[in-house]
Amino acid sequence: MAIIIGVDVGGSHVSSAAVDSESFKIVSDTYFCGPVDCMASKEIILQKWAEIINETIDVIEKNQMISENETIGISFSMPGPFQYESGIAMFKGNNKFEALFNVSVSDELLKYIKNKNVNFRFLNDASCFGVGSTLKQISGSAHEKVIAITLGTGFGATFLDDKLPITQGLNVPNNGCLWDKPFENDIADNYFSTRWFLKEYENASGEIATDGVKEIAGLENHSTAKIFDNFADNLTSFLSPYIINFDADLLVIGGNIAKSYKLFLTKLEENFKSRDIDLTISIVDETEQTSILGSSYLYNDVFWERIKDELPNF
């Protein structure tokens, strides 16, 4: 396939773009993004996803990027819990897309896609982000052992060895996930997500931030500086054992919280250095586009053969 459509499904949005399968770059004028109410009905969620995907398909067809009878490969960067091999959503008890629980996205979404000659493939959103970030590495400076995390409404993570997401083994956590792993008296997702920042800010100031981490970061006062320092300390303590065990040489950070990296990156680097952890840290601003690129790699034949029988169900 010369052209692949990559789709990034977020908790509050969906984005879609055509990717050139040879250069693995997003094709100009094919990127579209729109809001999605993750608590809406099954029909509305699927219609919103299809609406954005159909915009990309319109541009592809209008510019004759595919032949008339060519199958369009559509690859999804999809949050869990999800059965990635079968395409069945397992969202339940996580305050997002619960109307899709036990729904075959492959079957139901097709009803709303304008071109029925399509093929769907799915991969965890954190894994897609990780794969995309490795594809964007500068030639000659590639890292083989990579941990990629996304910091936003949730805490995503993936462990990659030579671009391949690793989900099982002695040197990675179960399912290659970190969000559900214990930290302090809770799980990691409640420490490395927007929720933690909002709670900490309210405790420190008595006020409620209505514009998320962006608003907190913009204040740049002593209280917010302390919040970001505590965040860096927590992230160091949590990640260090996993970095050492996996022998990672690169940590990639994306997500909306990563946009405030100037408030925590230096502290994070100092913390790792003080623990004798030799690690490069890379901040990725364009998380959605990077995830789209990573998802499109599912249609790379060699990569697909390596990963298709090991797609996680979580």
Side-chain angles (χ1 to χ4, degrees):
M1 295 177 182
I3 293 293
I4 300 152
I5 294 179
V7 181
D8 180 54
V9 174
S12 59
H13 75 281
V14 62
S15 54
S16 170
V19 178
D20 184 316
S21 63
E22 294 184 1
S23 66
F24 281 100
K25 292 183 178 180
I26 291 176
V27 180
S28 299
D29 302 322
T30 66
Y31 177 83
F32 297 94
C33 184
V36 178
D37 179 3
C38 66
M39 301 304 290
S41 67
K42 176 185 78 172
E43 291 77 15
I44 289 177
I45 292 171
L46 294 174
Q47 285 172 7
K48 288 293 185 181
W49 288 358
E51 180 182 306
I52 298 301
I53 295 169
N54 284 337
E55 289 193 69
T56 298
I57 291 175
D58 284 339
V59 176
I60 289 173
E61 293 180 340
K62 180 181 178 181
N63 292 283
Q64 299 180 327
M65 297 181 191
I66 58 171
S67 59
E68 185 175 345
N69 298 316
E70 184 178 348
T71 299
I72 302 174
I74 302 180
S75 53
F76 286 81
S77 167
M78 181 72 73
F82 197 88
Q83 294 183 1
Y84 293 95
E85 183 177 1
S86 65
I88 295 176
M90 301 302 294
F91 304 113
K92 190 175 183 179
N94 56 350
N95 296 315
K96 64 182 178 185
F97 305 129
E98 294 193 35
L100 297 180
F101 178 70
N102 214 27
V103 168
S104 172
V105 173
S106 301
D107 294 336
E108 296 297 316
L109 183 62
L110 186 60
K111 297 176 181 178
Y112 305 101
I113 300 294
K114 61 172 295 184
N115 188 322
K116 304 303 181 185
N117 190 16
V118 297
N119 174 268
F120 297 126
R121 289 179 181 175
F122 304 88
L123 187 62
N124 176 264
D125 53 351
S127 295
C128 287
F129 171 73
V131 173
S133 67
T134 61
L135 290 172
K136 293 173 68 174
Q137 289 186 57
I138 300 172
S139 177
S141 64
H143 297 262
E144 289 191 0
K145 291 288 199 75
V146 179
I147 298 176
I149 63 174
T150 52
L151 306 169
T153 54
F155 176 40
T158 189
F159 294 70
L160 302 110
D161 188 349
D162 189 24
K163 299 186 179 67
L164 186 71
I166 307 298
T167 59
Q168 300 294 337
L170 295 177
N171 62 344
V172 297
N174 185 46
N175 277 332
C177 290
L178 291 176
W179 70 272
D180 57 344
K181 304 304 181 285
F183 182 67
E184 299 291 346
N185 299 315
D186 210 328
I187 60 172
D189 201 57
N190 291 327
Y191 278 87
F192 308 114
S193 62
T194 301
R195 293 187 305 282
W196 182 85
F197 279 91
L198 297 180
K199 182 183 70 175
E200 292 296 305
Y201 177 71
E202 185 174 358
N203 289 341
S205 67
E207 300 178 1
I208 297 176
T210 57
D211 196 21
V213 177
K214 179 181 178 181
E215 178 182 342
I216 298 171
L219 296 173
E220 295 187 359
N221 56 38
H222 176 72
S223 294
T224 59
K226 190 174 188 305
I227 290 172
F228 278 95
D229 278 352
N230 290 341
F231 173 75
D233 289 341
N234 288 338
L235 193 59
T236 304
S237 297
F238 176 74
L239 286 180
S240 290
Y242 297 104
I243 292 170
I244 293 170
N245 203 31
F246 189 60
D247 195 24
D249 58 356
L250 174 66
L251 173 66
V252 180
I253 304 177
N256 285 331
I257 294 173
K259 295 177 182 178
S260 303
Y261 73 91
K262 291 181 180 178
L263 298 177
F264 68 83
L265 179 58
T266 299
K267 177 76 167 174
L268 191 64
E269 290 174 331
E270 291 174 349
N271 287 350
F272 284 132
K273 186 175 181 180
S274 69
R275 292 173 178 239
D276 293 324
I277 295 176
D278 184 15
L279 183 77
T280 300
I281 301 178
S282 174
I283 303 294
V284 175
D285 290 331
E286 298 176 335
T287 302
E288 294 164 28
Q289 291 90 332
T290 302
S291 295
I292 285 173
L293 288 175
S295 73
S296 74
Y297 206 55
L298 288 171
Y299 285 94
N300 175 285
D301 291 339
V302 175
F303 182 75
W304 180 244
E305 284 299 317
R306 294 174 68 194
I307 198 174
K308 69 177 183 179
D309 294 327
E310 299 182 20
L311 289 173
N313 293 321
F314 56 87

